[in-house]
Amino acid sequence: MKKSNLLCSSMEKVNFRTKVLSRHLKQETPTLNVILQSLPCLSYNPPELSEPAAVFDIKEMRKLMDGHNLEERDWFFGLILQSKLFNPVKRGGKVFLSPDYSQSKEQQREITMRRIEYLVEHGFSKNWLTVKGPEDELRKLALLDCLFIFDHSLSIKMGVHFLLWGGAIQFFGTKRHHDKWLKDTEDYVVKGCFSMTELGHGSNVRGIETVTTYDSSTGEFVINTPCESAQKYWIGGAANHATHTIVFSQLIIDGGNQGVHAFIAQIRDENGDICPNIRIADCGHKIGLNGVDNGRIWFDNVRVPRENLLNSVADVSPDGKYLTAIKDPDQRFAAFLSPLTSGRVTIASSAVYSAKIGLATAIRYSLTRRAFSVTPNGPEVLILDYPSHQRRLLPLLAKTYAMSFAANHLKMMYVKRTPEMNKVIHVVSSAFKAIASWHNMRTLQECREACGGQGLKTENRIGQLKGEYDVQSTFEGDNNVLMQQVSKALFGEYVAAKRSKKPFKGLGLEHMNTSRPVIPSQLTSSTMRQAQFQNDIFCLRERDLLERFAAEVSQCQAQGKSKEYAFTLNYQLAEDLGRAFSDRAVLHTFLDAEAFVTSGPLKNVLDLVRSMYVLVTLEEDAAFLRYGYLSMDNAAIVRKEVAKLCSELRPHALSLVSSFGLPDAFLSPIAFNWVEANAWSSEQN
C-alpha cells in the first residue's frame, strides 16, 4: 500500500511537471486558478478545535491565577472595550485593543491623559485614597493589573499619581495633609508626581543633593537645587501635566543635616504654566513608556509653607526646632522609603501579566503554525510539537505560573500589612520585584523569537512589550541592588539568631531550625516530582549559601574590613543567596496555593507545573552544581526529566494559557487567525 501511494504521488508530480513544460513550449500563460489548485494554500485551524479538551476547570484555574477581584477585572475590560479612546483595531475578524505606538511621544502623552480622564470619570479610581481597608486596596491592585495588560504608560502614569504622590501623602502626611489633598488627588483635580531620583543619585537615595532650609521669619521652607547633579530626573508626569510634586530633599536645620525629608511643592498653576523659580525640561524620547511625560526639575530657592512638610515621621516647629519621635537617623530614613514598597508590589504583578501576554500569544501561534515535515511527503508539523520548541516555551510557562502565585502572595501581604511587617514586606517585595521583572524580559525575548518574523510586528505586542517593560529592571530599585539588600537582610537575621541563640523566625527561614536536608545520591523521576524533595533542595541551597555568606563576611570583618566593604567583596555569594531566597519563597507560595485546591484534575496539572518550575530552576542555576547540591550525574538526570515534563505538559498548553483569563482583545492577531489578518482583503479594509 505504501509503495502504491508513493508511486501515485510520483506520477502526479511527473504529470504536473509535464503540463508545465508543455505550456512553456507552447508559450501558454497559466491561470492563477490552475496554480492555486495545484498548490493548495495553508489555512488557519483554531487550536480549540484541534487540541485536546481541558482536563481541568479553566475558570477555576483562572480564579487561582488572578487570585482576587475577578468581577472588577472583567468590569474594567468591558469598560475600555466600549470606548474608541483605547484604539480598537479589527484584524482577522477580531477587534484588538492596543496603544498606537506609531504616534509621536507628544501624541502618546496626550492620549494617555485623555484615557486617564475617561477612567476617572467612570469610577475607575473611586475610593483609592479616601477609603482604607484591605478590600479596597485589593480592588485597586486588581484594576492596576488590568491597566498594565492594556498599556504600561497608562498604568505607570496613574501609578505615579495615585501610589507615589497619593501614597506619600497617605503615609508621610498627617490629618492636615489628608484633608487638603487626598480627595482632590483621587478626583484628579490635583495632578501629582514624585521627585526623588536625581541626575547624580538613583538607588542611593540617602545621597541626594537637593537642599531644604527653614526660614523662621516667614514660616517657610526654602527648596534649592544647588548643582546640576541635584536636578530631579526621570520624574513621571513632570514634563507636561503635573501640578504638584513630592520633593525629597536633605533638611538642614540650624546648620545640621537631619537627613532626607519630603515636602509638597506646586510646580504649575491652574492654567498649566510653570510656577516661578521652577525650571522643567523634558527627558526626551525613550525606548518605551513614551506615553509618560518624564521630566527634569530644578528648584531655585522655591518657598513652600511650613505645613507642606509631610510630618508623620518628623516636624519643624514654627520657631525652627526639629521634632521627631524616631531618634535613630537610619530608622527615620527607612520610614521615608515605605511608599516604594507599593511600587515594587505592582511591578512584580505587572511583570507576570506581561509574561502571560507573551506566552499566550507565542503558544497559541505555535499551535497553529506549521513548519517542515518529519516524514517523506508528510504533512508539516505544528511547531509546538517539536521538542525543542516545547523546551523553549513550556518551562517559562511553568515559571510564570509560579511567579503568579508569588505576586498574589505579595499583594496579600501588602494589603494586610502592619508596622511590624515593614521589614518583611521590604525584603519579599525586593526579591519578587527583581525575579519577576527579570523573568518577564527573558520570557518576552524567547516568545519574540518563537514567533519568528511575526514577533517583530508592533501589532503583535511581544516585541513592543520588551521596550515598554525593560525599565522595570531598574526603576523602584535596581534589581541587582535589591538582591544585595535581600542578602544583607538575611545576614542580619542569621547574626541575630546566632547571637541570641534563639530559633530563626520570619522570612521563611524556619527551615534553618531543622536538620540539614540530605539529597539522594541517585535521583529518580518519582523523587524529583515529590514536593518534599523540591522543598529540601531549595532550602538546602538557601541554608548553605547563607552560612557561606555569613562566614565570608565575618572573616572580612575579623581582618578589619567594614561590614559594608565585606558585603561588596562577597557580591557573588550575595547574588546567589538572593536568588536562592527568592526561588524558595516562590516555591512556598506555589505550595500554599496548591493547598487550597480540592479538584483532583487541577491538582494533577499543578503538580506537573510545579515540578517543571523546580527542575528547570535546578537545571539553569549553576549554583546547584557549583556548590555541590547536585552531582554531575544527577544534573544530567534533571535535564532529561525537564524534557519529559515538556512532553507531559504539551497537551495542556492551550488550557494553561487560556487560564490566564486574558480577553482575546488584549492579545494580538497572530494569537488567532493570522492568515486572515494578513490577507489582502484585510489590507484593503
Side-chain angles (χ1 to χ4, degrees), residues 334-390:
F336 278 118
L337 295 184
S338 59
L340 291 183
T341 301
S342 65
R344 288 193 290 270
V345 171
T346 57
I347 289 171
S349 187
S350 67
V352 174
Y353 278 98
S354 171
K356 288 177 181 177
I357 294 170
L359 285 164
T361 301
I363 287 176
R364 288 188 64 89
Y365 184 58
S366 69
L367 290 170
T368 61
R369 178 65 187 249
R370 296 176 179 273
F372 308 107
S373 58
V374 293
T375 58
N377 301 311
E380 290 186 295
V381 178
L382 286 174
I383 56 178
L384 195 60
D385 284 337
Y386 286 101
S388 59
H389 210 77
Q390 295 170 14

Coordinates of all heavy atoms in Angstrom, one line a residue, residues 334-390:
A334 N 14.6 54.8 56.8 CA 13.8 53.7 56.4 C 12.3 54.0 56.3 O 11.6 53.5 55.4 CB 14.1 52.5 57.4
A335 N 11.8 54.8 57.3 CA 10.4 55.2 57.3 C 10.1 56.0 56.0 O 9.0 55.9 55.5 CB 10.1 56.0 58.5
F336 N 11.0 56.8 55.5 CA 10.8 57.6 54.3 C 10.7 56.8 53.0 O 10.3 57.3 52.0 CB 11.8 58.7 54.2 CG 11.5 59.9 55.1 CD1 12.4 60.3 56.1 CD2 10.4 60.6 54.9 CE1 12.1 61.4 56.9 CE2 10.1 61.7 55.7 CZ 11.0 62.1 56.7
L337 N 11.2 55.6 53.1 CA 11.2 54.7 51.9 C 10.0 53.9 51.7 O 9.9 53.1 50.7 CB 12.5 53.9 51.8 CG 13.8 54.6 51.7 CD1 15.0 53.6 51.6 CD2 13.9 55.6 50.6
S338 N 9.1 53.9 52.7 CA 8.0 53.0 52.6 C 7.1 53.1 51.4 O 6.6 52.1 50.9 CB 7.1 53.2 53.9 OG 6.6 54.5 54.0
P339 N 6.8 54.3 50.8 CA 6.0 54.3 49.6 C 6.5 53.5 48.5 O 5.8 53.0 47.6 CB 5.9 55.8 49.2 CG 6.1 56.5 50.5 CD 7.1 55.7 51.2
L340 N 7.8 53.2 48.4 CA 8.4 52.5 47.3 C 7.9 51.0 47.3 O 8.0 50.3 46.3 CB 9.9 52.5 47.4 CG 10.6 53.9 47.0 CD1 12.1 53.8 47.0 CD2 10.1 54.4 45.7
T341 N 7.5 50.5 48.5 CA 7.0 49.2 48.6 C 5.8 48.9 47.7 O 5.8 47.9 47.0 CB 6.6 48.8 50.0 OG1 7.8 49.0 50.9 CG2 6.2 47.4 50.2
S342 N 4.9 49.9 47.6 CA 3.7 49.7 46.7 C 4.1 49.6 45.3 O 3.6 48.8 44.5 CB 2.7 50.8 47.0 OG 3.3 52.1 46.5
G343 N 5.2 50.4 44.9 CA 5.7 50.3 43.5 C 6.2 49.0 43.2 O 6.0 48.4 42.1
R344 N 7.0 48.4 44.1 CA 7.6 47.1 43.9 C 6.5 46.0 43.8 O 6.6 45.0 43.0 CB 8.6 46.7 44.9 CG 9.9 47.5 44.8 CD 11.0 47.0 45.7 NE 10.8 47.2 47.1 CZ 11.2 48.2 47.8 NH1 11.8 49.2 47.2 NH2 10.9 48.3 49.1
V345 N 5.5 46.1 44.6 CA 4.3 45.2 44.6 C 3.7 45.2 43.2 O 3.5 44.1 42.6 CB 3.3 45.5 45.7 CG1 2.1 44.6 45.5 CG2 3.9 45.3 47.1
T346 N 3.4 46.4 42.7 CA 2.7 46.4 41.4 C 3.6 46.0 40.3 O 3.2 45.4 39.3 CB 2.1 47.9 41.1 OG1 3.2 48.8 41.2 CG2 1.1 48.2 42.2
I347 N 4.9 46.3 40.4 CA 5.8 45.9 39.3 C 5.9 44.4 39.2 O 5.9 43.8 38.1 CB 7.2 46.5 39.6 CG1 7.2 48.0 39.3 CG2 8.3 45.8 38.7 CD1 8.5 48.7 39.7
A348 N 6.0 43.7 40.4 CA 6.1 42.2 40.4 C 4.9 41.7 39.7 O 5.0 40.7 38.9 CB 6.2 41.7 41.8
S349 N 3.7 42.2 40.0 CA 2.5 41.6 39.5 C 2.4 42.0 38.0 O 2.0 41.1 37.2 CB 1.3 42.2 40.2 OG 0.1 41.6 39.8
S350 N 2.7 43.2 37.6 CA 2.5 43.6 36.2 C 3.5 42.8 35.3 O 3.2 42.5 34.2 CB 2.7 45.1 36.1 OG 4.0 45.5 36.3
A351 N 4.7 42.5 35.8 CA 5.7 41.8 35.1 C 5.2 40.4 34.7 O 5.4 39.9 33.6 CB 7.0 41.7 35.8
V352 N 4.4 39.8 35.7 CA 3.9 38.5 35.5 C 2.8 38.5 34.4 O 2.8 37.7 33.5 CB 3.3 37.9 36.8 CG1 2.6 36.6 36.5 CG2 4.4 37.7 37.8
Y353 N 2.0 39.6 34.4 CA 0.9 39.7 33.4 C 1.5 40.0 32.0 O 1.0 39.5 31.0 CB -0.1 40.8 33.8 CG -1.1 40.2 34.7 CD1 -1.0 40.4 36.1 CD2 -2.2 39.5 34.3 CE1 -1.9 39.9 37.0 CE2 -3.1 38.9 35.2 CZ -3.0 39.2 36.6 OH -3.9 38.7 37.4
S354 N 2.6 40.7 31.9 CA 3.3 40.9 30.7 C 3.8 39.6 30.1 O 3.6 39.3 28.9 CB 4.4 41.9 30.9 OG 5.2 42.0 29.7
A355 N 4.4 38.8 31.0 CA 4.9 37.5 30.5 C 3.7 36.6 30.1 O 3.8 35.8 29.1 CB 5.6 36.8 31.7
K356 N 2.6 36.7 30.7 CA 1.4 36.0 30.3 C 0.9 36.4 28.9 O 0.6 35.5 28.1 CB 0.2 36.2 31.3 CG 0.4 35.6 32.6 CD -0.8 35.9 33.6 CE -0.6 35.3 34.9 NZ -1.7 35.7 35.9
I357 N 1.0 37.6 28.6 CA 0.6 38.1 27.2 C 1.6 37.5 26.2 O 1.1 36.9 25.2 CB 0.7 39.6 27.1 CG1 -0.4 40.2 28.0 CG2 0.5 40.1 25.7 CD1 -0.3 41.8 28.2
G358 N 2.9 37.5 26.5 CA 3.8 36.9 25.6 C 3.6 35.5 25.4 O 3.7 35.0 24.2
L359 N 3.4 34.7 26.5 CA 3.3 33.3 26.4 C 2.0 32.9 25.7 O 1.9 31.9 24.9 CB 3.4 32.7 27.8 CG 4.8 32.6 28.3 CD1 4.8 32.4 29.8 CD2 5.6 31.5 27.6
A360 N 0.9 33.6 26.1 CA -0.4 33.2 25.4 C -0.3 33.4 23.9 O -0.9 32.6 23.2 CB -1.5 34.1 26.0
T361 N 0.3 34.5 23.5 CA 0.5 34.8 22.1 C 1.4 33.7 21.4 O 1.0 33.1 20.4 CB 1.1 36.2 21.9 OG1 0.2 37.1 22.5 CG2 1.2 36.5 20.4
A362 N 2.6 33.5 22.0 CA 3.5 32.6 21.3 C 3.0 31.2 21.3 O 3.2 30.4 20.3 CB 4.9 32.7 22.1
I363 N 2.4 30.7 22.4 CA 1.9 29.3 22.4 C 0.7 29.1 21.5 O 0.6 28.1 20.8 CB 1.6 28.9 23.9 CG1 2.9 28.7 24.7 CG2 0.8 27.7 24.0 CD1 2.8 28.4 26.1
R364 N -0.2 30.1 21.5 CA -1.4 30.0 20.6 C -0.9 29.9 19.1 O -1.3 29.2 18.3 CB -2.4 31.1 20.8 CG -3.2 31.0 22.1 CD -4.3 32.1 22.1 NE -5.2 31.8 21.0 CZ -6.3 31.1 21.1 NH1 -6.6 30.5 22.3 NH2 -7.1 30.9 20.1
Y365 N 0.1 30.8 18.8 CA 0.7 30.8 17.5 C 1.3 29.5 17.1 O 1.2 28.9 16.0 CB 1.7 31.9 17.4 CG 2.3 32.1 16.0 CD1 1.5 32.4 14.9 CD2 3.7 32.1 15.8 CE1 2.0 32.6 13.6 CE2 4.2 32.3 14.5 CZ 3.4 32.6 13.5 OH 3.9 32.8 12.2
S366 N 2.1 28.9 18.1 CA 2.8 27.6 17.9 C 1.8 26.5 17.7 O 2.2 25.4 17.3 CB 3.8 27.4 19.0 OG 3.1 27.1 20.2
L367 N 0.6 26.6 18.1 CA -0.4 25.6 18.0 C -1.2 25.7 16.7 O -2.1 24.8 16.4 CB -1.4 25.7 19.2 CG -0.9 25.3 20.5 CD1 -1.9 25.6 21.6 CD2 -0.6 23.8 20.6
T368 N -0.9 26.7 15.8 CA -1.5 26.8 14.5 C -0.5 26.9 13.4 O -0.8 26.8 12.2 CB -2.4 28.0 14.5 OG1 -1.7 29.2 14.7 CG2 -3.5 27.9 15.6
R369 N 0.7 27.3 13.7 CA 1.8 27.5 12.7 C 2.5 26.1 12.5 O 2.9 25.5 13.5 CB 2.7 28.6 13.1 CG 3.9 28.8 12.2 CD 3.4 29.3 10.8 NE 4.5 29.4 9.9 CZ 5.0 30.6 9.4 NH1 4.5 31.7 9.8 NH2 6.0 30.6 8.5
R370 N 2.7 25.8 11.3 CA 3.4 24.5 11.0 C 4.7 24.8 10.2 O 4.9 25.8 9.6 CB 2.6 23.6 10.1 CG 1.3 23.1 10.8 CD 0.4 22.3 9.9 NE -0.8 21.9 10.7 CZ -0.9 20.7 11.4 NH1 0.2 19.9 11.4 NH2 -2.0 20.4 12.0
A371 N 5.7 23.9 10.4 CA 7.0 24.1 9.7 C 7.6 22.7 9.5 O 7.8 21.9 10.4 CB 7.9 25.0 10.5
F372 N 8.0 22.4 8.2 CA 8.7 21.2 7.9 C 7.9 19.9 8.2 O 6.9 20.0 8.8 CB 10.1 21.1 8.6 CG 10.9 22.3 8.4 CD1 11.1 23.2 9.5 CD2 11.5 22.6 7.2 CE1 11.9 24.3 9.3 CE2 12.3 23.7 7.0 CZ 12.5 24.6 8.1
S373 N 8.3 18.8 7.6 CA 7.7 17.5 7.9 C 8.8 16.6 8.3 O 10.0 16.8 8.0 CB 7.0 17.0 6.6 OG 7.9 16.8 5.6
V374 N 8.4 15.6 9.1 CA 9.4 14.7 9.6 C 9.4 13.3 8.9 O 10.1 12.4 9.2 CB 9.2 14.4 11.1 CG1 9.4 15.7 11.9 CG2 7.7 13.9 11.4
T375 N 8.5 13.2 7.9 CA 8.4 12.0 7.0 C 8.4 12.4 5.6 O 7.9 13.5 5.3 CB 7.2 11.2 7.4 OG1 6.0 12.0 7.2 CG2 7.2 10.6 8.8
P376 N 8.9 11.6 4.7 CA 8.8 12.0 3.3 C 7.4 12.2 2.8 O 6.5 11.4 3.1 CB 9.4 10.8 2.6 CG 10.3 10.1 3.6 CD 9.6 10.4 4.9
N377 N 7.1 13.4 2.2 CA 5.8 13.8 1.7 C 4.8 13.9 2.8 O 3.6 13.9 2.5 CB 5.3 12.8 0.6 CG 6.3 12.7 -0.5 OD1 6.7 13.7 -1.1 ND2 6.7 11.5 -0.9
G378 N 5.2 13.9 4.1 CA 4.3 14.0 5.2 C 3.8 15.4 5.4 O 4.4 16.4 4.8
P379 N 2.8 15.6 6.2 CA 2.3 17.0 6.5 C 3.3 17.8 7.3 O 4.1 17.2 8.1 CB 1.0 16.8 7.2 CG 1.2 15.4 7.9 CD 2.0 14.6 6.9
E380 N 3.3 19.1 7.2 CA 4.1 19.9 8.1 C 3.7 19.8 9.5 O 2.5 19.5 9.8 CB 4.0 21.4 7.7 CG 4.7 21.7 6.3 CD 4.8 23.1 6.0 OE1 3.7 23.7 5.8 OE2 5.9 23.7 6.0
V381 N 4.6 19.9 10.4 CA 4.4 19.7 11.8 C 4.1 21.0 12.6 O 4.8 22.0 12.4 CB 5.6 19.0 12.5 CG1 5.4 18.7 14.0 CG2 5.8 17.6 11.7
L382 N 3.1 20.9 13.5 CA 2.9 22.1 14.4 C 4.2 22.4 15.2 O 4.8 21.5 15.7 CB 1.8 21.8 15.4 CG 0.4 21.8 14.9 CD1 -0.6 21.3 16.0 CD2 0.0 23.2 14.4
I383 N 4.6 23.6 15.2 CA 5.9 23.9 15.8 C 5.9 23.6 17.3 O 7.0 23.3 17.8 CB 6.4 25.4 15.5 CG1 5.4 26.4 16.0 CG2 6.7 25.6 14.1 CD1 5.8 27.8 15.8
L384 N 4.8 23.6 18.0 CA 4.8 23.2 19.4 C 5.0 21.7 19.6 O 5.2 21.2 20.7 CB 3.6 23.7 20.2 CG 3.7 23.7 21.7 CD1 4.9 24.5 22.2 CD2 2.5 24.1 22.4
D385 N 4.8 21.0 18.5 CA 5.0 19.5 18.6 C 6.5 19.2 18.5 O 6.9 18.0 18.6 CB 4.2 18.8 17.5 CG 2.8 18.7 17.9 OD1 2.5 18.8 19.1 OD2 1.9 18.5 17.0
Y386 N 7.4 20.1 18.2 CA 8.8 19.9 18.2 C 9.3 20.0 19.6 O 9.0 21.0 20.3 CB 9.5 20.9 17.3 CG 9.4 20.7 15.8 CD1 8.5 21.5 15.1 CD2 10.2 19.7 15.2 CE1 8.4 21.3 13.7 CE2 10.0 19.5 13.8 CZ 9.1 20.3 13.1 OH 9.0 20.1 11.7
P387 N 10.0 19.0 20.1 CA 10.5 19.0 21.5 C 11.3 20.3 21.8 O 11.3 20.8 22.9 CB 11.4 17.8 21.6 CG 10.8 16.8 20.6 CD 10.3 17.7 19.4
S388 N 12.1 20.7 20.8 CA 12.9 21.9 21.0 C 12.1 23.2 21.3 O 12.4 24.0 22.1 CB 13.8 22.2 19.8 OG 13.0 22.4 18.6
H389 N 10.9 23.3 20.6 CA 10.0 24.4 20.8 C 9.3 24.3 22.2 O 9.1 25.3 22.9 CB 9.0 24.5 19.7 CG 8.5 25.9 19.4 ND1 9.3 26.8 18.7 CD2 7.4 26.5 19.7 CE1 8.7 27.9 18.6 NE2 7.5 27.8 19.2
Q390 N 9.0 23.1 22.5 CA 8.4 22.9 23.9 C 9.4 23.3 24.9 O 9.0 24.0 25.9 CB 8.0 21.4 24.1 CG 6.9 20.9 23.1 CD 6.8 19.4 23.2 OE1 7.3 18.7 24.1 NE2 6.1 18.8 22.2

